[in-house]
Amino acid sequence: MKVHYIEKVWIVAAVLLILTLIGTVTYGALGPGVSMLDNEGGIVPDPGNPVESSSFKEPGVYKTGPNTYDVYVLARQFVYRPRKITIPVDSTITFYLTSPDVIHGFEVVGTNVNTMAIPGRIGKFTVNFDQVEEYGLLCHEYCGVGHHLMEGQIEVVPQSQFDATEEST
Ligand code: CUA
């Protein structure tokens, strides 16, 4: 069988196009290190009342080791508690996130931290912030009339500054 030269060119072009598409999808899924949260965080002991569930009673930053911190965040209509999260740079931060009402978004603007706060479930994820920076925190899931007002802040500060504010509080 004789395949015409022009036809061969188009066969090669079509195969390259398919491989390029598979390549971009694969890169998009794996390349930037983006992953879904798994079930590791578990469920809220009393889903109807996560505020009273021990770990979310006092949302905030808790030191768990020399360079590691747990941060409990409650996303609710239409605020984050705490509204402003201050953490030291170059530390390992494990977030625990939930919502007492509806689904909220949790996006740290300018980073690849982007997840949801789901009622009854605890989203657990670990982040390293390696530069001193102030990040905005945005709700990107429509959660009610105040959705557009729902925002927070993550302030990554030098260790010395963090220690100083810890001592004063
Ligand atoms: Cu919370 Cu939108």
Side-chain angles (χ1 to χ4, degrees):
M1 188 182 77
K2 188 179 185 310
V3 180
H4 193 277
Y5 169 71
I6 297 293
E7 202 170 348
K8 279 185 191 161
V9 169
W10 281 105
I11 291 170
V12 170
V15 170
L16 282 179
L17 182 63
I18 291 167
L19 291 179
T20 307
L21 289 175
I22 292 173
T24 52
V25 170
T26 307
Y27 174 76
L30 307 172
V34 173
S35 63
M36 297 293 288
L37 296 192
D38 55 21
N39 285 331
E40 199 192 343
I43 58 169
V44 175
D46 179 4
N49 205 351
V51 179
E52 291 308 315
S53 298
S54 54
S55 51
F56 287 95
K57 211 167 188 168
E58 298 285 342
V61 180
Y62 294 92
K63 194 177 171 81
T64 53
N67 228 3
T68 56
Y69 297 83
D70 282 351
V71 178
Y72 287 88
V73 183
L74 203 58
R76 68 190 319 165
Q77 289 167 322
F78 298 100
V79 289
Y80 293 101
R81 278 191 63 211
R83 186 183 290 269
K84 183 178 179 181
I85 299 164
T86 302
I87 46 177
V89 72
D90 283 329
S91 50
T92 302
I93 311 292
T94 302
F95 283 96
Y96 296 84
L97 174 69
T98 194
S99 160
D101 40 47
V102 299
I103 292 178
H104 297 278
F106 186 91
E107 178 181 1
V108 183
V109 180
T111 72
N112 67 354
V113 180
N114 184 338
T115 188
M116 290 188 291
I118 299 173
R121 299 212 69 92
I122 300 172
K124 180 182 176 189
F125 51 98
T126 301
V127 185
N128 288 288
F129 291 98
D130 57 8
Q131 54 183 337
V132 171
E133 182 81 66
E134 264 187 39
Y135 294 100
L137 190 55
L138 270 187
C139 179
H140 55 67
E141 293 289 331
Y142 183 74
C143 53
V145 290
H147 163 69
H148 62 291
L149 299 172
M150 186 162 171
E151 58 169 8
Q153 218 180 350
I154 294 188
E155 193 184 35
V156 185
V157 300
Q159 186 74 49
S160 55
Q161 189 183 330
F162 180 81
D163 293 340
T165 44
E166 278 293 275
E167 273 152 31
S168 68
T169 52

